[in-house]
Amino acid sequence: MATSGTYVTDVPLKGSAEKHYKRWKSENHLFPDAVGHHIQGVTVHEGDWDSHGSIKIWNYTCDGKQEVFKEKRENDDENMTVTLRGLEGHVMEELKVCDLIFQFIQKSADDIVCKITMIWEKRTDDSPEPINYMKLAKNVVADMDNHIIKT
């Protein structure tokens, strides 16, 4: 059995958890304009922008390389959580499982965090651990914070 694991980190945010959740749930098409150095494109492959079960394709840069990630979306409005379940793409060549979970938590009026959880399982023990993808997710959340505050 190949190695598996879970990474968890909190990213402090400004503004409201609702605004951040809305951006991640249904406004992914705005990401290339906001954080084009990370995300170059997001397209809907199946479904629509904010529907549970929709499939999206992300074009992004990780460690200086252009890559693609195809994911199936799960939205949980009650907990302000967006889950991206990896289906295909560069990361899925190394991983059997890659789930990215973004939960937006309003701790107080001035205290908001995005709790990022990455659940992964390598295809083989020789595959590298996906810490670079967790770093990318953390950087995208942090950089989107500045864009959401401006809008």
Side-chain angles (χ1 to χ4, degrees):
M1 181 172 177
T3 305
S4 61
T6 302
Y7 300 137
V8 180
T9 191
D10 286 347
V11 178
L13 301 173
K14 299 178 283 300
S16 75
E18 291 83 10
K19 282 180 90 171
H20 287 277
Y21 174 65
K22 179 182 175 194
R23 181 66 44 102
W24 281 83
K25 176 185 174 186
S26 59
E27 298 176 351
N28 300 145
H29 58 283
L30 301 174
F31 281 43
D33 288 337
V35 291
H37 54 291
H38 296 303
I39 308 295
Q40 289 78 50
V42 184
T43 55
V44 174
H45 179 71
E46 189 176 299
D48 54 35
W49 283 108
D50 62 354
S51 64
H52 183 84
S54 65
I55 296 175
K56 296 184 180 64
I57 298 172
W58 296 72
N59 295 290
Y60 61 94
T61 302
C62 186
D63 293 338
K65 296 181 293 195
Q66 298 281 322
E67 297 190 7
V68 175
F69 180 64
K70 186 176 185 179
E71 52 91 356
K72 185 171 186 174
R73 181 65 50 101
E74 294 180 13
N75 300 316
D76 178 348
D77 293 338
E78 185 177 332
N79 293 305
M80 288 194 284
T81 302
V82 175
T83 301
L84 314 181
R85 296 209 182 276
L87 300 175
E88 297 175 12
H90 290 85
V91 69
M92 300 311 293
E93 293 169 5
E94 301 288 339
L95 300 178
K96 192 184 320 182
V97 173
C98 181
D99 292 347
L100 285 162
I101 304 162
F102 302 88
Q103 183 178 20
F104 300 92
I105 303 164
Q106 189 88 42
K107 293 185 170 190
S108 69
D110 298 327
D111 188 11
I112 303 156
V113 298
C114 176
K115 178 180 179 182
I116 306 170
T117 305
M118 181 180 189
I119 301 167
W120 54 271
E121 181 181 346
K122 297 195 289 185
R123 289 199 177 276
T124 68
D125 284 328
D126 295 334
S127 299
E129 285 195 16
I131 192 67
N132 56 336
Y133 292 101
M134 184 63 169
K135 288 179 185 175
L136 173 64
K138 184 177 178 180
N139 289 337
V140 171
V141 169
D143 290 355
M144 279 302 296
D145 184 38
N146 294 325
H147 181 73
I148 290 171
I149 296 307
K150 293 177 185 177
T151 60

